[in-house]
Amino acid sequence: SLLPSFVHAPYLLLRPVVPLASGGSTERAFVLLVLDLSGSEMRRAAQTAIEAVGGVVPVTGAEFGLRAAATATAPRRNPLKRLMDSHTSPATSTLSSGAGWTMPPTLGLFMDTPWHQVTTAQVKAIARAGFLWVVADGEHLGVHGRYGPDQFDLFLRHGITPIQRLPREALSDHGDALALGARATMMPYGTSLTQVETYLETVCYPAPPTGGEASSRCRGGYPVRDASGALVFDAAALISGEGVETQGCVQFETAELLTDRAQRDAVLDAMAAEGPNKVFGFVGALDASLRIPGGAAAVAEASAAVGRAAMQRGVHMGKLCGGPPNPDGLPDPAATEEAMVEAIKSGYRMLGLSVLSSDLHYMGAAALARPFWAAAARCGF
């Protein structure tokens, strides 16, 4: 009965959706997935963390094929933002009745791998384990953490959203990173609303001539390439295409943004004013514990509060979750799972591991991801 409404699409596929652990059941559900020529995916919004990565972990070759096909026809697509856009904001739902984000949590990783050492095998392992976003650390690694078109494209072909973190001094670098293929950039150490507003200008194109004056800090009009490889010089096409797919990320890791409620709320309001899912936040707990009296306990309380405040405004938040290391050096899986459960309950939907990409050689991507899947299932995702 669905086919008549989808006759314009060149591909119709039934993709299996199965639980991580079937428990011996032989029942299999299927989701109708349609790929159109623009590379968009017209399917039911993922209701669980497993569905968000294709229904099966380890991620299958068939799913990788779909991701590559979608990226080939829309090379500037942002998988994470498209997942966010497919769900209703809690700001428009009934929070008083207990409703919150309908979007399932996602798993991510901070990359300390230098740009010239990123390999297909590494990215495949990260994607196969179910990671949906990575942060290239151009803040602490300097030029070695500033990724380029080849690295960004490799992640996107595997369905992973690359986020470029930049140093606090950066301004025009944010727009340049987006032009190279990063789908979001990250601003660290913000302490005031003015700083955040300045950053938000750098990740957005100027308003059209009829919509207001442009600031010198706005993202520049450097052309990007479409699916055929042709350069896009049309301003309207840049705004309606590239401008929709890119995002900004504000790190909450100072006392001003975490414990000063008035300042925190003003920043969250400014982020929400940019439009649905245009800007998200990320709590830097370690940095915050160095700056906030009370240390880790105070940071944990402030993090939970900012997660709830952001959710009320329809702003997504992320944070790192991890337990103390076991004798083998791996983060304690039970403690990591509990930290992730608490984060999900506080409104966080971007959960990062408290390890770096260089740790995957010893620890293994699949093993590190297991606490995430357990936490998501415990929270109904």
Side-chain angles (χ1 to χ4, degrees):
S1 62
L2 292 174
L3 292 180
S5 62
F6 291 132
V7 292
H8 67 283
Y11 301 109
L12 293 171
L13 304 99
L14 284 176
R15 181 166 67 188
V17 177
V18 298
L20 186 62
S22 62
S25 172
T26 59
E27 295 182 1
R28 305 186 80 187
F30 290 84
V31 168
L32 177 68
L33 181 144
V34 181
L35 288 178
D36 66 20
L37 290 175
S38 68
S40 63
E41 294 166 272
M42 299 181 293
R43 58 182 170 186
R44 180 182 62 133
Q47 302 301 305
T48 66
I50 285 288
E51 287 186 9
V53 298
V56 182
V57 169
V59 173
T60 66
E63 172 66 14
F64 283 133
L66 292 173
R67 295 180 183 185
T71 304
T73 53
R76 312 292 292 186
R77 66 196 301 274
N78 181 342
L80 179 63
K81 185 173 186 294
R82 292 192 179 202
L83 177 62
M84 291 177 177
D85 290 343
S86 69
H87 286 269
T88 303
S89 163
T92 60
S93 62
T94 310
L95 286 169
S96 60
S97 66
W101 289 117
T102 60
M103 175 183 143
T106 60
L107 182 61
L109 180 70
F110 277 62
M111 302 289 297
D112 66 339
T113 306
W115 66 267
H116 59 282
Q117 294 179 352
V118 176
T119 65
T120 300
Q122 180 190 44
V123 175
K124 178 76 76 175
I126 294 170
R128 195 173 179 217
F131 290 78
L132 277 180
W133 52 272
V134 295
V135 177
D137 196 352
E139 176 191 3
H140 297 107
L141 295 180
V143 295
H144 302 291
R146 299 283 288 269
Y147 287 9
D150 290 343
Q151 292 77 38
F152 293 138
D153 181 64
L154 181 58
F155 282 110
L156 288 170
R157 288 202 311 271
H158 284 85
I160 296 174
T161 290
I163 302 163
Q164 180 68 70
R165 180 155 71 166
L166 293 166
R168 71 194 85 185
E169 299 84 4
L171 282 176
S172 62
D173 305 74
H174 290 284
D176 293 337
L178 297 176
L180 291 174
R183 297 296 78 196
T185 69
M186 184 178 281
M187 168 207 169
Y189 303 120
T191 59
S192 70
L193 174 62
T194 299
Q195 288 178 337
V196 172
E197 288 177 330
T198 297
Y199 163 66
L200 296 181
E201 286 186 85
T202 70
V203 295
C204 294
Y205 287 119
T210 57
E213 295 183 2
S215 162
S216 62
R217 294 181 293 269
C218 290
R219 177 177 173 181
Y222 190 81
V224 301
R225 296 186 183 275
D226 64 16
S228 70
L231 290 169
V232 177
F233 282 100
D234 181 72
L238 283 175
I239 293 171
S240 63
E242 172 74 356
V244 171
E245 297 286 356
T246 54
Q247 296 173 288
C249 175
V250 176
Q251 287 193 259
F252 286 68
E253 52 188 354
T254 63
E256 291 83 354
L257 264 60
L258 275 175
T259 60
D260 183 334
R261 182 171 179 176
Q263 185 92 267
R264 177 202 74 189
D265 289 351
V267 167
L268 289 172
D269 288 339
M271 294 165 65
E274 293 296 312
N277 306 319
K278 184 62 180 176
V279 187
F280 57 90
F282 203 96
V283 171
L286 179 58
D287 265 310
S289 65
L290 296 172
R291 293 170 166 79
I292 297 176
V299 172
E301 182 179 351
S303 297
V306 74
R308 292 189 292 268
M311 184 166 60
Q312 291 173 346
R313 292 164 171 80
V315 174
H316 278 291
M317 292 292 294
K319 67 180 300 187
L320 296 181
C321 301
N326 284 334
D328 59 6
L330 274 71
D332 182 74
T336 300
E337 180 182 330
E338 288 301 321
M340 289 183 166
V341 167
E342 290 304 312
I344 294 170
K345 290 180 178 178
S346 296
Y348 289 84
R349 290 297 180 267
M350 297 175 64
L351 307 184
L353 295 176
S354 59
V355 298
L356 299 173
S357 59
S358 60
D359 295 308
L360 298 185
H361 298 287
Y362 170 65
M363 300 180 180
L368 289 170
R370 288 189 189 110
F372 168 78
W373 301 115
R378 284 175 56 186
C379 294
F381 292 104

